[in-house]
Amino acid sequence: RAREYAVLRAAFAAGCERFGFRLVHYAVLNDHLHMLVEGSGREALVRGLQGLLIRVAKALNKLWGRKGSVFGERYHDRVLK
């Protein structure tokens, strides 16, 4: 929906480039997100993605007027060369 998409875009814009982490591209699908991200190292990548997902969850919970987990499971990663 438009409100949720606007919240996602704002969260992505605020957290897209921090501490050696960068969100390069994203796709919002019906029940999950696809993100292409870069990191200066493994720790920067993990921490940056954690921070971004926390930012998204807090924003969506605020919009929905609720608390708790937004994402049912941890992210799955695949290293591209």
Side-chain angles (χ1 to χ4, degrees), residues 17-21 40 44-45 48:
E17 198 163 339
R18 300 173 53 88
F19 311 114
F21 169 85
S40 59
L45 187 64

Side-chain angles (χ1 to χ4, degrees), residues 19-36:
F19 311 114
F21 169 85
R22 187 164 79 105
L23 174 63
V24 178
H25 180 76
Y26 66 89
V28 180
L29 303 174
N30 286 339
D31 60 352
H32 64 281
L33 302 169
H34 284 196
M35 291 182 273
L36 182 60

Side-chain angles (χ1 to χ4, degrees), residues 2 5 7 11 16 19 21 23 26-28 33 36-37 40 47-48 54 63 66 68-69 76 79:
Y5 186 68
V7 165
C16 69
F19 311 114
F21 169 85
L23 174 63
Y26 66 89
V28 180
L33 302 169
L36 182 60
V37 299
S40 59
R47 298 258 185 227
I54 289 168
L63 175 68
R66 53 166 264 179
S69 179
H76 303 282
V79 177

